[in-house]
Amino acid sequence: MKMRFILRLMFAVAFAAVPLGAALAHGEPVIAVEPAVAAAGGQIIITGTEMEPGEVFTITLVGVAGSIPLGEATVIGEGEEGGFTVTFIIPVETVPGSYTVSAAAEDGDTTTADLTITAPSEEASAAPAAAQEPSGELHEIDRSKPVSQVIAVAIVIAVSAAAGFVLIRS
Amino acid sequence: MATSTQPTPRLRLGEWLDERLGLKGISYPVPEHANSLPYVLGGITFTGFVILFVTGIYLAQFYHPEVADAHQSVIYIIAGVPLGDLVRSVHFWTAQIVTVTVLLHMLRVLFTGSYKRPREINWFVGLGLLAITLGFVFSGSVLKFDQEGLEAFQHNKEAANVIGAMGAWFSAEFSRSVPLLMRLFNGHITILPMIFGLLIAVHIFLIKQHGISPKVTPDATTHPTAGEGESDFGFHLRRMFGFGLVVFALALTLSLIFPAPLGQPGVAGAEVTKPWWMFIWLFPAEAAWGARALVIVPAVLGVLLALVPFVDRSPYLSPARRKGLLIVAAILLIAIVVSGVYAALQPVAAHLE
């Protein structure tokens, strides 16, 4: 009885998965952005798949501060297997942050992908003064602490260590 | 003349608490060797995690997990938040100490055969806790979003691409509404602590069920020791708490002398830093095999560690009776250390594709 129930459940799950799989197989347009993290002024490659040949997609960078048009991409291919690969330069003045790359066709087909944009690299920036060169050096911050804080911390260290050793040796 | 002795206030408080909390329940027998330093390493790790949770809660009030603001918010924690630099440094140094103690704890369990029947499941739970610890360290290193953090972030994305659907959560495409950095922060402060809480509860429960593994002698064999021993768990807890206080003092001292580092804001596409010591040993493998090494090498090591109780099924605990397994483990450990030292001495190399 229990086995029959499990078999029925398995069939139900399998049949439910069929239309879902079919929908995924025909698919909605999909884009992928490489790299997923890029510096402002840097280059990104957008690859589109599952698209109708001949369709023209408008590519836009969408962030909290507004949208930045990047350009257009025309789908090439045969039958239902269309796609595109386009390269864009992210405007150097783009504010670092999380963005969505949106590809929208005239018929309403829209697809998006995530893109993280960091500060511009020196080579990419037209204004070297504002540019930032990748560096493994430490950030210079004043880490000095008031004497009172250092004394208080030293007391906490001494008390913690002493109490710890008392407990360990008890 | 008969004299009546009045209980002291301390005794009365103890009785009052015991009646309500059943504190005498933790005073069960444990073997004497359970109180030695190698057998308290797990407890030290646990107290380290308590320090991490407390300092982490404070830091989370000021950290901003948005790409554009993350690094700046860390600068604010250091320069503008009361005790922010100190709390962040204690968080950083405790994480380093905990990583050391958790690895030493695992090596102790391996060396003393504490994974043997009936403690195999707890060995797997311990491996899960090791993975969670490394997950905490990795996500924590990304969150500061300096150059090193950003490079770790990019490696994270590349490794996610390697494992396809299994790495979906780590990919930018997983959620259109919440960026990956924010999700890593969520993982660091909610998902990982929750899994940690579950695993540590099971870990402690199973130790209580089976008892501490027997003391290693030439002829010692594995068996449950629950309810056996000359010492008691209350004493064990006191020592554990004592070591926890020493860890706290050590982390505070290191924090005063060497505040937690913070690099320059990250610039994407560049590789000019090296990862922290617990990940740097993967660098040579990544240079040889690309991003897939970041997934495959740890996975292979994890599988090998998981196979230990299946491979070593003899009841003996003495290392002298388990030479084969320990020699293989030593070779792997030496290879990891040599790989790490080699990577540390090499100039920075670009791996990102």
Side-chain angles (χ1 to χ4, degrees), chain B residues 23-34:
Chain B
L23 292 178
K24 281 183 184 152
I26 61 169
S27 193
Y28 55 84
V30 294
E32 192 61 58
H33 70 274

Side-chain angles (χ1 to χ4, degrees), chain B residues 49 53 128-129 131-133 135-136 139 168-170 174 178-200:
Chain B
F49 266 104
F53 283 132
L129 284 165
I132 293 294
T133 304
F136 268 122
S139 53
W169 189 86
F170 296 97
F174 179 82
V178 182
L180 181 55
L181 181 66
M182 207 172 280
R183 275 186 286 119
L184 279 177
F185 176 61
N186 287 342
H188 190 76
I189 65 163
T190 60
I191 300 170
L192 288 175
M194 193 183 70
I195 300 172
F196 174 84
L198 285 170
L199 289 180
I200 200 71

Side-chain angles (χ1 to χ4, degrees), chain B residues 45-64:
Chain B
T45 306
F46 180 76
T47 55
F49 266 104
V50 173
I51 297 170
L52 286 169
F53 283 132
V54 173
T55 50
I57 288 168
Y58 187 69
L59 295 174
Q61 311 310 310
F62 309 102
Y63 175 73
H64 197 307

Side-chain angles (χ1 to χ4, degrees), chain B residues 60-83:
Chain B
Q61 311 310 310
F62 309 102
Y63 175 73
H64 197 307
E66 175 60 61
V67 169
D69 302 313
H71 187 266
Q72 195 57 42
S73 71
V74 178
I75 294 174
Y76 173 65
I77 286 171
I78 294 170
V81 172
L83 298 175

Side-chain angles (χ1 to χ4, degrees), chain B residues 126-349:
Chain B
L127 291 182
L129 284 165
L130 173 65
I132 293 294
T133 304
L134 293 175
F136 268 122
V137 174
F138 179 79
S139 53
S141 78
V142 170
L143 294 182
K144 61 192 187 314
F145 225 59
D146 56 2
Q147 187 61 39
E148 188 272 318
L150 178 63
E151 289 174 23
F153 184 66
Q154 293 173 115
H155 279 83
N156 171 80
K157 291 189 172 191
E158 291 221 347
N161 289 339
V162 171
I163 48 179
M166 281 166 63
W169 189 86
F170 296 97
S171 71
E173 287 73 27
F174 179 82
S175 169
R176 300 286 184 221
S177 53
V178 182
L180 181 55
L181 181 66
M182 207 172 280
R183 275 186 286 119
L184 279 177
F185 176 61
N186 287 342
H188 190 76
I189 65 163
T190 60
I191 300 170
L192 288 175
M194 193 183 70
I195 300 172
F196 174 84
L198 285 170
L199 289 180
I200 200 71
V202 174
H203 205 55
I204 292 168
F205 172 76
L206 289 175
I207 294 170
K208 172 81 170 61
Q209 285 296 102
H210 304 307
I212 298 278
S213 61
K215 188 175 183 179
V216 177
T217 57
D219 296 318
T221 54
T222 182
H223 61 270
T225 62
E228 297 174 9
E230 317 75 37
S231 185
D232 82 272
F233 188 66
F235 179 71
H236 182 76
L237 270 185
R238 271 207 303 279
R239 274 181 72 82
M240 200 176 106
F241 186 56
F243 278 115
L245 284 172
V246 172
V247 165
F248 180 57
L250 177 63
L252 263 179
T253 307
L254 289 166
S255 302
L256 264 190
I257 303 168
F258 310 108
L262 177 69
Q264 300 286 339
V267 176
E271 272 191 279
V272 296
T273 69
K274 290 177 182 174
W276 286 358
W277 62 269
M278 57 288 276
F279 302 114
I280 198 168
W281 60 277
L282 281 167
F283 242 40
E286 192 194 3
W289 302 313
R292 61 182 180 274
L294 300 176
V295 177
I296 293 170
V297 174
V300 168
L301 267 181
V303 169
L304 288 176
L305 285 170
L307 286 175
V308 164
F310 300 105
V311 173
D312 180 15
R313 298 173 69 176
S314 80
Y316 295 107
L317 300 179
S318 169
R321 290 174 179 262
R322 299 184 293 120
K323 281 181 188 158
L325 181 110
L326 291 179
I327 287 171
V328 172
I331 291 170
L332 280 175
L333 186 62
I334 291 167
I336 288 170
V337 172
V338 168
S339 178
V341 171
Y342 173 77
L345 296 175
Q346 290 296 303
V348 176

